[in-house]
Amino acid sequence: VICRSLANSSYGIKRKSPLQNLHLVSRSIRHPYYPSSKLQRPPLRISIQLFSSLNRLPLHKTKLLNVKYGYPFHRNFWLARLASRLLKLRYLVLGSAVGGGYTAKKTYDQWKDMMPDLDEYKWIVPDFIWELDEHIDFEKLIKALPDADDLAKLLPDFDKIGESFTSLKGFFSPGSPGETAFRATDQGYDNDKQYKKGLLGELILLQQQIQQHEEEARRAAGQYNMGSSQQKRKVSDKEKVDQLQEELLRTQLKYQRMLERLEKENKELRKLVLQRDDKGIHQRKLKKSLIDMYSEVLDILSDYDASYNTQDHLPRVVVVGDQSAGKTSVLEMIAQARIFPRGSGEMMTRSPVKVTLSEGPHHVALFKDSSREFDLTKEEDLAALRNEIEIRMRNSVKEGCTVSTETISLSVKGPGLQRMVLVDLPGVISTVTSGMAPDTKETIFSISKAYMQNPNAIILCIQDGSVDAERSIVTDLVSQMDPQGKRTIFVLTKVDLAEKNVASPSRIQQIIEGKLFPMKALGYFAVVTGKGNSSESIESIKEYEEEFFQNSKLLKTCMLKAHQVTTKNLSLAVSDCFWKMVRESVEQQADAFKATRFNLETEWKNNYPRLRELDRNELFEKAKNEILDEVISLTQVTPKHWEEILQKTLWERVSTHVIENIYLPAAQTMNSGTFNTTVDIKLKQWTDKQLPNKAVEVAWETLQEEFSRFMTEQKGKEHDDIFDKLKQAVKEESIKRHKWNERAEDSLRVIQHNALEDRSISDKQQWDAAIHFMEETLQSRLKDTESVIEDMVGPDWKKRWLYWIGRTKEQNIRNETKNELEKLIKCNEEHAAYLANDEVTTVRKNLEARGIAVDPCLIKDTWHQIYRRYFLKTALNHCNLCRRGFYYYQRHFVDSELECNDIVLFWRIQRMLAITANTLRQQLTNTEVRRLEKNVKEVLEDFAEDNEKKLKLLTGKRVQLAEDLSK
């Protein structure tokens, strides 16, 4: 019985889902076995409660097991009890597994919902990270990496390192042989260091010895002069003086050789460094040298001076001297190249030449406005450079002048050159010779003074030592410009000739010591610039100069000091003085410019607070863009607008000819056939000769008017009237350059001829449009005729009474004539257009009968206007009648009252105007507008290169203030 009850699921577990997740209907049918009322348990009913691991689900009790009375429990059914327990255990395990899985899944879903959505932040990680697995095969990479065993083999053996370190420590222990060897090596290094220090120390020691020998030589010479009373002592003193001088000379030569050796080594090293930098010029951007930047500043300030008439205060070395004194040769020695034109006694320097010297790996020269480099190591390039300088000098000289104030800028680079900026000026002359302009002397003086009056200019005064010092002009000029000598360096040239020619060598000593001239200077130098041969090289001149001073009595007798001779020492001294002055003046001048700029900026902010500081070039670029935008606007004009303007303008131009020469003469004919024949002939003549040309003129004028409208149209607040003059000039120049296509008239003639030959009006709408066109034309002509008649006869009675206006005598005569002619027309409404002679006589006699004398010409003139008014009124009445004539025209009925040939004529004219306007519009939009745009661009490009044009067209206080700020 118990087994049967177990089989019938008496112990089955029925689990229900949470009721809140079920539909309302499902709640009512979910548990049919559980009534809503409470169950009354029998007293012997056993309650079995099952527990679940699903914490979130409600636990339910199983059905109660009813135990019937009368059947006692049998204890010998252990197998059944075991089966019951095993069955219970299975359900427990199964329920726990299902419930645990469900709980884990729900917990995972809740945790996942709590996490933020990271898809929105994928942009933080670069795209190539996501694509790495596409481009890199990580499996191959892992396979290619060595194993851990291989990596372990690459590590050092720390045991062996420890053993080596122990042995090394024992080797350098006190008293070991390693310590002795190390000390010996260290001592050798100190000796080498002392040797390197000793070379420079020996130079300093030699310099001190030279100074001591010079002082001893001076003292010995003084003792020799003072001890002339004793002959023996004099002889011994003289021998002592000679001995000291020889020792001094040997020391000087030794010092000079060691100095040259160091300079040569330094020069080679610097050349190697510069060449290495030059080779890497494409790999890295080299900075400009300080002297190059300084030279550019001087060039900019020279333009600044030309515009503002102010003088910059930045240093430069100004080379002045008498003509043929050797100043150009001195400059060539400093530049280490024969770069200037040469001439024997002739003036070669005709304009200032600014030479910027700087270091470089190669010895080259180039002009400021040219990219060509002249290799100064090649004689061909040197000759080309001298020729180019001479050509530039001659081109800068104006007609009728000998010298020019225009500066030629030249840069020279090379190894070992001293960095400085020199200006070579024309030589000062005392007399104007034949072939020179009369004001040459004064012009040279003014150029020299202009450069020397700069308080920061270093004056390099060149004096010819081979001529008498009293003949020099330049020393007086320099004394005027720098009376204290604070920025003057005096150079005596041609000392070799002076030593030969001057009777008293002490005169040269007086010049070098500054005792002969009243002029003062920072330093005095004596140089030799060659033997006077123009084909000498710089190296040969250097060798000659060194050889001369080594053997010169001027040095042996201590008349000249060693640091006062040779161009090399001169170059070093000038460079030191130049850069010292640059350091002192650049910052001061920069502060002055900053102050000027601050004042200009303040003025700009007060006058133009909402505008940018655009100088003339920037304003031109802005205007250029506006003009190009306005030209492009021509292409945006609609075809309808083009055709309306062209049709209206063309009719205004040809309407008089159509009315006076075609319509009125044809309307005087008697029948329609003659009318049509006359019209066809006159239209053909008009088309062949005048109409195409008139149409092209109208199209060209229309294009100009539209272009002018776009150019001059103000754009509200954005309009800037500062561009008006420029736009007007561009417009006029572009129109002047534009030429219409010559083939346009021929093609237009054929189109117009075909349009005028067509007489077939297809519908009533075109018929009504032709009538409306004719009425407008005739009414306009009638209004003009009425105005002419009113001017002829004077005001009518209403205006005379209202405005108190009277008629003149001539107007009264014309009024009476008009009345007589109107009577004539009333009598004969089909009167011809012209008066016969007898009719003129009749009118004149009728007027004379009333006491009015009239000239026959006045009668004919009045008749022309009276008949014209009558004809136009008749034609307008005929237009109204022809409104219902399209049916007869279409059916080709012949009705004398409704012959509307004039309507057909005006329809032909109107159709020709529409077709012509369409053709011209196509030519305008497809060809002429593009050609005009091209002309505008060319004009703007030409104006951009013409500074005078920009200066003339962009003017005003605002432009000038912006220019000042820019500079």
Side-chain angles (χ1 to χ4, degrees), residues 29-84:
I29 65 175
R30 178 65 179 171
H31 305 287
Y33 300 106
Y34 292 91
S36 58
S37 61
K38 294 183 179 180
L39 295 175
Q40 300 294 329
R41 300 180 182 178
L44 295 177
R45 187 169 293 176
I46 300 171
S47 177
I48 301 173
Q49 186 172 358
L50 301 179
F51 295 93
S52 173
S53 63
L54 304 178
N55 298 327
R56 297 178 181 270
L57 297 177
L59 299 177
H60 305 283
K61 295 179 180 180
T62 59
K63 277 190 175 183
L64 295 177
L65 181 62
N66 297 324
V67 181
K68 295 182 178 181
Y69 297 94
Y71 292 90
F73 234 88
H74 298 280
R75 298 179 180 178
N76 56 349
F77 287 98
W78 59 269
L79 185 61
R81 289 198 300 272
L82 180 62
S84 175

Side-chain angles (χ1 to χ4, degrees), residues 490-520:
F490 181 84
V491 182
L492 186 67
T493 61
K494 304 178 185 180
V495 182
D496 53 341
L497 300 178
E499 188 179 22
K500 294 178 183 178
N501 300 333
V502 176
S504 175
S506 60
R507 188 174 177 84
I508 298 176
Q509 183 181 5
Q510 290 179 350
I511 295 175
I512 295 301
E513 291 179 354
K515 297 178 180 179
L516 186 62
F517 298 116
M519 183 190 74
K520 297 179 181 179

